[in-house]
Amino acid sequence: EAQVTQNPRYLITVTGKKLTVTCSQNMNHEYMSWYRQDPGLGLRQIYYSMNVEVTDKGDVPEGYKVSRKEKRNFPLILESPSPNQTSLYFCASSLVLAAGLHGSSGANVLTFGAGSRLTVL
Amino acid sequence: QKEVEQNSGPLSVPEGAIASLNCTYSDRGSQSFFWYRQYSGKSPELIMSIYSNGDKEDGRFTAQLNKASQYVSLLIRDSQPSDSATYLCAVTRTGTASKLTFGTGTRLQVTL
């Protein structure tokens, strides 16, 4: 089954304790992205990756790191979590993301993981 | 001004009615437009995409795009209780092809 898998789904941690949220996709997608979702603020992009070894900041990258060593994996790292990083996190992937491409080709169609609810105390 | 704006709702419509969801965007050069549906506690899923001015129909869903007025809308005909969800508008912005910007979503409630 084509899917994006995130782990853990739920995590409660304490301030400053490094954690990693894993994301893996089995669709051979080039594009992967992390979003956080907060009430009233919607989905905000943290980091994205156009392909292996190519990553870039989204709109809210502070306090996060990512890496893309393999095409299928895109982990999100919180080096020193703080309470303001308490949120619902989504990993998503797409065949490719490019303005103007039609979604019928698979471009610009995001497939989301089930989400990871993180609480930082 | 937010890049992608939606009324947060809730928008309440009776079963069988037409639900109309609206979205405006600020970047006049935006090219690709999407509607995602998100049930409570679940991840977003794509329901419609539209790229050209006019209407695009898919079953009970119709997406409408007006680039001159910078708005995109989603109509849901014969609304069902199972349509109750938050609907997210998303736009790819010119000059930042790798970013898909989401609105904050409109919560739709279909009442019996």
Side-chain angles (χ1 to χ4, degrees):
Chain A
E1 179 188 355
Q3 60 185 358
V4 177
T5 303
Q6 296 179 228
N7 281 297
R9 293 287 316 281
Y10 302 92
L11 179 64
I12 300 174
T13 189
V14 295
T15 298
K17 185 176 182 181
K18 180 179 178 180
L19 69 91
T20 299
V21 186
T22 63
C23 175
S24 181
Q25 50 92 5
N26 61 0
M27 297 167 281
N28 201 35
H29 283 172
E30 291 188 355
Y31 180 88
M32 298 186 75
S33 182
W34 276 102
Y35 292 87
R36 61 178 289 175
Q37 189 172 38
D38 303 288
L41 298 177
L43 277 167
R44 294 181 292 166
Q45 190 176 45
I46 303 170
Y47 270 94
Y48 63 93
S49 170
M50 299 294 283
N51 213 325
V52 177
E53 302 292 2
V54 180
T55 63
D56 209 345
K57 296 177 181 179
D59 297 314
V60 288
E62 296 77 21
Y64 305 94
K65 285 176 57 178
V66 293
S67 67
R68 188 93 180 272
K69 294 184 172 62
E70 305 166 282
K71 198 171 188 179
R72 63 183 292 125
N73 295 324
F74 191 44
L76 179 70
I77 303 158
L78 285 73
E79 292 272 4
S80 183
S82 62
N84 64 13
Q85 293 179 297
T86 292
S87 187
L88 178 59
Y89 292 86
F90 288 104
C91 180
S93 72
S94 178
L95 187 64
V96 66
L97 207 80
L101 289 184
H102 285 207
S104 59
S105 65
N108 297 330
V109 176
L110 285 176
T111 300
F112 284 84
S116 297
R117 186 167 291 281
L118 171 65
T119 301
V120 183
L121 301 176
Chain B
Q1 180 187 12
K2 289 183 181 178
E3 294 177 51
V4 181
E5 291 206 56
Q6 296 180 256
N7 188 316
S8 61
L11 173 66
S12 185
V13 299
E15 184 178 5
I18 296 175
S20 178
L21 304 160
N22 299 313
C23 169
T24 59
Y25 58 94
S26 60
D27 183 352
R28 185 168 288 279
S30 296
Q31 298 184 20
S32 305
F33 307 87
F34 306 87
W35 283 99
Y36 284 79
R37 177 177 62 199
Q38 185 176 23
Y39 291 113
S40 181
K42 302 296 185 183
S43 56
E45 56 179 340
L46 181 73
I47 51 173
M48 290 286 290
S49 60
I50 187 167
Y51 306 92
S52 305
N53 278 329
D55 295 359
K56 179 182 177 183
E57 188 174 318
D58 184 0
R60 295 187 296 112
F61 299 97
T62 299
Q64 299 176 317
L65 175 61
N66 184 323
K67 289 188 176 181
S69 299
Q70 294 176 242
Y71 83 76
V72 56
S73 61
L74 179 70
L75 301 178
I76 307 175
R77 290 182 300 281
D78 189 23
S79 295
Q80 301 297 309
S82 59
D83 295 325
S84 297
T86 296
Y87 290 80
L88 304 170
C89 173
V91 176
T92 56
R93 295 141 53 194
T94 54
T96 56
S98 53
K99 288 188 179 181
L100 187 63
T101 301
F102 285 84
T104 54
T106 298
R107 188 156 65 92
L108 173 66
Q109 292 178 337
V110 180
T111 58
L112 295 172

